[in-house]
mmCIF file of all heavy atoms in Angstrom:
data_model
loop_
_atom_site.group_PDB
_atom_site.id
_atom_site.type_symbol
_atom_site.label_atom_id
_atom_site.label_comp_id
_atom_site.label_asym_id
_atom_site.label_seq_id
_atom_site.Cartn_x
_atom_site.Cartn_y
_atom_site.Cartn_z
ATOM 1 N N ILE A 359 143.895 35.715 39.381
ATOM 2 C CA ILE A 359 144.324 34.352 39.766
ATOM 3 C C ILE A 359 143.548 33.884 40.985
ATOM 4 O O ILE A 359 143.380 32.703 41.207
ATOM 5 C CB ILE A 359 145.862 34.341 40.021
ATOM 6 C CG1 ILE A 359 146.596 34.446 38.666
ATOM 7 C CG2 ILE A 359 146.332 33.112 40.767
ATOM 8 C CD1 ILE A 359 148.077 34.722 38.771
ATOM 9 N N GLY A 360 143.054 34.857 41.805
ATOM 10 C CA GLY A 360 142.244 34.483 42.964
ATOM 11 C C GLY A 360 142.958 34.639 44.296
ATOM 12 O O GLY A 360 142.604 33.973 45.269
ATOM 13 N N ILE A 361 143.968 35.536 44.346
ATOM 14 C CA ILE A 361 144.671 35.793 45.619
ATOM 15 C C ILE A 361 143.777 36.673 46.507
ATOM 16 O O ILE A 361 143.192 37.638 46.035
ATOM 17 C CB ILE A 361 146.015 36.521 45.367
ATOM 18 C CG1 ILE A 361 146.894 35.714 44.393
ATOM 19 C CG2 ILE A 361 146.729 36.856 46.667
ATOM 20 C CD1 ILE A 361 147.749 34.660 44.979
ATOM 21 N N HIS A 362 143.699 36.379 47.830
ATOM 22 C CA HIS A 362 142.811 37.117 48.725
ATOM 23 C C HIS A 362 143.335 38.524 49.031
ATOM 24 O O HIS A 362 144.534 38.782 49.047
ATOM 25 C CB HIS A 362 142.637 36.341 50.046
ATOM 26 C CG HIS A 362 141.846 35.096 49.858
ATOM 27 N ND1 HIS A 362 140.528 35.104 49.475
ATOM 28 C CD2 HIS A 362 142.192 33.795 49.999
ATOM 29 C CE1 HIS A 362 140.087 33.848 49.381
ATOM 30 N NE2 HIS A 362 141.078 33.036 49.689
ATOM 31 N N THR A 363 142.379 39.409 49.335
ATOM 32 C CA THR A 363 142.689 40.825 49.624
ATOM 33 C C THR A 363 143.646 40.959 50.805
ATOM 34 O O THR A 363 144.502 41.844 50.817
ATOM 35 C CB THR A 363 141.376 41.599 49.949
ATOM 36 O OG1 THR A 363 140.460 41.339 48.914
ATOM 37 C CG2 THR A 363 141.620 43.081 50.056
ATOM 38 N N ASP A 364 143.464 40.111 51.831
ATOM 39 C CA ASP A 364 144.317 40.247 53.020
ATOM 40 C C ASP A 364 145.524 39.318 52.994
ATOM 41 O O ASP A 364 146.121 39.012 54.035
ATOM 42 C CB ASP A 364 143.487 40.022 54.296
ATOM 43 C CG ASP A 364 142.869 38.622 54.340
ATOM 44 O OD1 ASP A 364 143.026 37.878 53.337
ATOM 45 O OD2 ASP A 364 142.248 38.274 55.357
ATOM 46 N N SER A 365 145.904 38.864 51.794
ATOM 47 C CA SER A 365 147.092 38.008 51.663
ATOM 48 C C SER A 365 148.324 38.743 52.202
ATOM 49 O O SER A 365 148.498 39.940 51.978
ATOM 50 C CB SER A 365 147.287 37.645 50.191
ATOM 51 O OG SER A 365 148.643 37.660 49.834
ATOM 52 N N ASP A 366 149.179 38.017 52.913
ATOM 53 C CA ASP A 366 150.418 38.612 53.462
ATOM 54 C C ASP A 366 151.263 39.236 52.349
ATOM 55 O O ASP A 366 151.799 40.323 52.502
ATOM 56 C CB ASP A 366 151.260 37.547 54.184
ATOM 57 C CG ASP A 366 150.614 37.139 55.509
ATOM 58 O OD1 ASP A 366 149.582 37.736 55.861
ATOM 59 O OD2 ASP A 366 151.139 36.234 56.179
ATOM 60 N N TYR A 367 151.374 38.492 51.250
ATOM 61 C CA TYR A 367 152.174 38.986 50.121
ATOM 62 C C TYR A 367 151.632 40.316 49.620
ATOM 63 O O TYR A 367 152.363 41.237 49.299
ATOM 64 C CB TYR A 367 152.176 37.987 48.956
ATOM 65 C CG TYR A 367 152.923 36.707 49.227
ATOM 66 C CD1 TYR A 367 152.322 35.469 48.993
ATOM 67 C CD2 TYR A 367 154.244 36.724 49.692
ATOM 68 C CE1 TYR A 367 153.019 34.287 49.215
ATOM 69 C CE2 TYR A 367 154.940 35.542 49.913
ATOM 70 C CZ TYR A 367 154.328 34.337 49.685
ATOM 71 O OH TYR A 367 155.012 33.170 49.902
ATOM 72 N N ARG A 368 150.295 40.408 49.547
ATOM 73 C CA ARG A 368 149.658 41.624 49.001
ATOM 74 C C ARG A 368 149.925 42.828 49.903
ATOM 75 O O ARG A 368 150.252 43.916 49.425
ATOM 76 C CB ARG A 368 148.146 41.401 48.855
ATOM 77 C CG ARG A 368 147.427 42.608 48.273
ATOM 78 C CD ARG A 368 145.968 42.311 47.962
ATOM 79 N NE ARG A 368 145.377 43.437 47.278
ATOM 80 C CZ ARG A 368 144.656 44.392 47.874
ATOM 81 N NH1 ARG A 368 144.438 44.317 49.181
ATOM 82 N NH2 ARG A 368 144.161 45.396 47.187
ATOM 83 N N ILE A 369 149.783 42.634 51.199
ATOM 84 C CA ILE A 369 149.973 43.749 52.144
ATOM 85 C C ILE A 369 151.424 44.206 52.134
ATOM 86 O O ILE A 369 151.712 45.402 52.070
ATOM 87 C CB ILE A 369 149.511 43.352 53.557
ATOM 88 C CG1 ILE A 369 147.973 43.192 53.550
ATOM 89 C CG2 ILE A 369 149.939 44.386 54.593
ATOM 90 C CD1 ILE A 369 147.393 42.522 54.755
ATOM 91 N N ARG A 370 152.355 43.258 52.176
ATOM 92 C CA ARG A 370 153.776 43.631 52.173
ATOM 93 C C ARG A 370 154.147 44.387 50.888
ATOM 94 O O ARG A 370 154.803 45.420 50.924
ATOM 95 C CB ARG A 370 154.645 42.375 52.294
ATOM 96 C CG ARG A 370 154.616 41.764 53.693
ATOM 97 C CD ARG A 370 155.287 40.404 53.705
ATOM 98 N NE ARG A 370 156.685 40.508 53.273
ATOM 99 C CZ ARG A 370 157.709 40.012 53.934
ATOM 100 N NH1 ARG A 370 157.523 39.401 55.088
ATOM 101 N NH2 ARG A 370 158.925 40.121 53.477
ATOM 102 N N SER A 371 153.666 43.838 49.758
ATOM 103 C CA SER A 371 153.965 44.479 48.488
ATOM 104 C C SER A 371 153.323 45.856 48.396
ATOM 105 O O SER A 371 153.921 46.795 47.889
ATOM 106 C CB SER A 371 153.469 43.587 47.337
ATOM 107 O OG SER A 371 153.844 44.129 46.100
ATOM 108 N N GLY A 372 152.106 45.976 48.934
ATOM 109 C CA GLY A 372 151.391 47.265 48.929
ATOM 110 C C GLY A 372 152.123 48.318 49.741
ATOM 111 O O GLY A 372 152.219 49.486 49.330
ATOM 112 N N LEU A 373 152.638 47.941 50.921
ATOM 113 C CA LEU A 373 153.377 48.888 51.763
ATOM 114 C C LEU A 373 154.642 49.391 51.046
ATOM 115 O O LEU A 373 154.952 50.583 51.064
ATOM 116 C CB LEU A 373 153.749 48.228 53.101
ATOM 117 C CG LEU A 373 152.573 47.988 54.074
ATOM 118 C CD1 LEU A 373 152.969 47.019 55.171
ATOM 119 C CD2 LEU A 373 152.085 49.307 54.687
ATOM 120 N N LEU A 374 155.359 48.460 50.403
ATOM 121 C CA LEU A 374 156.570 48.851 49.657
ATOM 122 C C LEU A 374 156.218 49.761 48.480
ATOM 123 O O LEU A 374 156.941 50.712 48.177
ATOM 124 C CB LEU A 374 157.328 47.618 49.177
ATOM 125 C CG LEU A 374 158.017 46.780 50.264
ATOM 126 C CD1 LEU A 374 158.518 45.468 49.705
ATOM 127 C CD2 LEU A 374 159.181 47.546 50.884
ATOM 128 N N TYR A 375 155.097 49.450 47.846
ATOM 129 C CA TYR A 375 154.626 50.247 46.692
ATOM 130 C C TYR A 375 154.323 51.689 47.122
ATOM 131 O O TYR A 375 154.671 52.646 46.434
ATOM 132 C CB TYR A 375 153.384 49.584 46.114
ATOM 133 C CG TYR A 375 152.666 50.364 45.038
ATOM 134 C CD1 TYR A 375 153.258 50.614 43.806
ATOM 135 C CD2 TYR A 375 151.376 50.857 45.260
ATOM 136 C CE1 TYR A 375 152.585 51.332 42.824
ATOM 137 C CE2 TYR A 375 150.701 51.572 44.294
ATOM 138 C CZ TYR A 375 151.318 51.814 43.066
ATOM 139 O OH TYR A 375 150.656 52.528 42.098
ATOM 140 N N ILE A 376 153.690 51.858 48.295
ATOM 141 C CA ILE A 376 153.359 53.195 48.794
ATOM 142 C C ILE A 376 154.631 53.991 49.064
ATOM 143 O O ILE A 376 154.720 55.183 48.756
ATOM 144 C CB ILE A 376 152.456 53.107 50.040
ATOM 145 C CG1 ILE A 376 151.079 52.601 49.634
ATOM 146 C CG2 ILE A 376 152.336 54.462 50.743
ATOM 147 C CD1 ILE A 376 150.256 52.028 50.760
ATOM 148 N N LEU A 377 155.654 53.333 49.624
ATOM 149 C CA LEU A 377 156.931 54.009 49.874
ATOM 150 C C LEU A 377 157.593 54.422 48.571
ATOM 151 O O LEU A 377 158.201 55.476 48.472
ATOM 152 C CB LEU A 377 157.863 53.097 50.683
ATOM 153 C CG LEU A 377 157.480 52.894 52.159
ATOM 154 C CD1 LEU A 377 158.387 51.843 52.801
ATOM 155 C CD2 LEU A 377 157.563 54.203 52.943
ATOM 156 N N LEU A 378 157.438 53.560 47.539
ATOM 157 C CA LEU A 378 157.990 53.894 46.221
ATOM 158 C C LEU A 378 157.239 55.081 45.616
ATOM 159 O O LEU A 378 157.853 56.007 45.082
ATOM 160 C CB LEU A 378 157.885 52.676 45.293
ATOM 161 C CG LEU A 378 158.394 52.865 43.875
ATOM 162 C CD1 LEU A 378 159.916 53.019 43.857
ATOM 163 C CD2 LEU A 378 158.000 51.697 42.989
ATOM 164 N N LEU A 379 155.912 55.079 45.719
ATOM 165 C CA LEU A 379 155.101 56.195 45.201
ATOM 166 C C LEU A 379 155.472 57.514 45.881
ATOM 167 O O LEU A 379 155.455 58.572 45.265
ATOM 168 C CB LEU A 379 153.601 55.932 45.449
ATOM 169 C CG LEU A 379 152.843 55.075 44.444
ATOM 170 C CD1 LEU A 379 151.356 55.154 44.752
ATOM 171 C CD2 LEU A 379 153.075 55.502 43.006
ATOM 172 N N ALA A 380 155.812 57.440 47.158
ATOM 173 C CA ALA A 380 156.149 58.649 47.918
ATOM 174 C C ALA A 380 157.378 59.335 47.338
ATOM 175 O O ALA A 380 157.507 60.550 47.409
ATOM 176 C CB ALA A 380 156.379 58.301 49.383
ATOM 177 N N THR A 381 158.277 58.553 46.736
ATOM 178 C CA THR A 381 159.478 59.180 46.145
ATOM 179 C C THR A 381 159.096 60.063 44.970
ATOM 180 O O THR A 381 159.788 61.022 44.658
ATOM 181 C CB THR A 381 160.511 58.119 45.698
ATOM 182 O OG1 THR A 381 159.979 57.341 44.636
ATOM 183 C CG2 THR A 381 160.953 57.245 46.836
ATOM 184 N N ALA A 382 157.985 59.762 44.301
ATOM 185 C CA ALA A 382 157.517 60.599 43.197
ATOM 186 C C ALA A 382 157.053 61.963 43.704
ATOM 187 O O ALA A 382 156.999 62.937 42.958
ATOM 188 C CB ALA A 382 156.384 59.903 42.434
ATOM 189 N N GLU A 383 156.709 62.050 44.996
ATOM 190 C CA GLU A 383 156.350 63.337 45.613
ATOM 191 C C GLU A 383 157.580 64.007 46.199
ATOM 192 O O GLU A 383 157.484 65.088 46.796
ATOM 193 C CB GLU A 383 155.318 63.117 46.728
ATOM 194 C CG GLU A 383 154.015 62.514 46.270
ATOM 195 C CD GLU A 383 153.163 62.088 47.473
ATOM 196 O OE1 GLU A 383 153.085 62.856 48.458
ATOM 197 O OE2 GLU A 383 152.597 60.989 47.427
ATOM 198 N N GLY A 384 158.750 63.367 46.077
ATOM 199 C CA GLY A 384 159.991 63.959 46.604
ATOM 200 C C GLY A 384 160.406 63.438 47.973
ATOM 201 O O GLY A 384 161.434 63.828 48.506
ATOM 202 N N HIS A 385 159.588 62.541 48.559
ATOM 203 C CA HIS A 385 159.896 62.045 49.903
ATOM 204 C C HIS A 385 160.912 60.906 49.875
ATOM 205 O O HIS A 385 160.918 60.095 48.958
ATOM 206 C CB HIS A 385 158.621 61.548 50.603
ATOM 207 C CG HIS A 385 157.516 62.549 50.641
ATOM 208 N ND1 HIS A 385 157.712 63.833 51.093
ATOM 209 C CD2 HIS A 385 156.211 62.468 50.266
ATOM 210 C CE1 HIS A 385 156.555 64.493 51.012
ATOM 211 N NE2 HIS A 385 155.645 63.690 50.494
ATOM 212 N N VAL A 386 161.718 60.835 50.955
ATOM 213 C CA VAL A 386 162.658 59.719 51.093
ATOM 214 C C VAL A 386 162.073 58.695 52.083
ATOM 215 O O VAL A 386 162.394 57.521 52.026
ATOM 216 C CB VAL A 386 164.030 60.236 51.574
ATOM 217 C CG1 VAL A 386 164.990 59.102 51.881
ATOM 218 C CG2 VAL A 386 164.642 61.139 50.498
ATOM 219 N N TYR A 387 161.178 59.142 52.967
ATOM 220 C CA TYR A 387 160.505 58.234 53.919
ATOM 221 C C TYR A 387 159.080 58.736 54.104
ATOM 222 O O TYR A 387 158.700 59.803 53.585
ATOM 223 C CB TYR A 387 161.257 58.202 55.266
ATOM 224 C CG TYR A 387 161.137 59.497 56.047
ATOM 225 C CD1 TYR A 387 160.043 59.737 56.889
ATOM 226 C CD2 TYR A 387 162.092 60.501 55.920
ATOM 227 C CE1 TYR A 387 159.917 60.934 57.592
ATOM 228 C CE2 TYR A 387 161.963 61.706 56.619
ATOM 229 C CZ TYR A 387 160.881 61.909 57.445
ATOM 230 O OH TYR A 387 160.758 63.105 58.127
#
Side-chain angles (χ1 to χ4, degrees):
I359 288 169
I361 304 274
H362 291 296
T363 309
D364 60 356
S365 141
D366 288 357
Y367 291 129
R368 181 172 186 264
I369 291 167
R370 287 171 59 129
S371 185
L373 288 165
L374 290 170
Y375 172 67
I376 290 161
L377 288 173
L378 178 69
L379 276 190
T381 65
E383 298 169 43
H385 305 309
V386 173
Y387 69 86

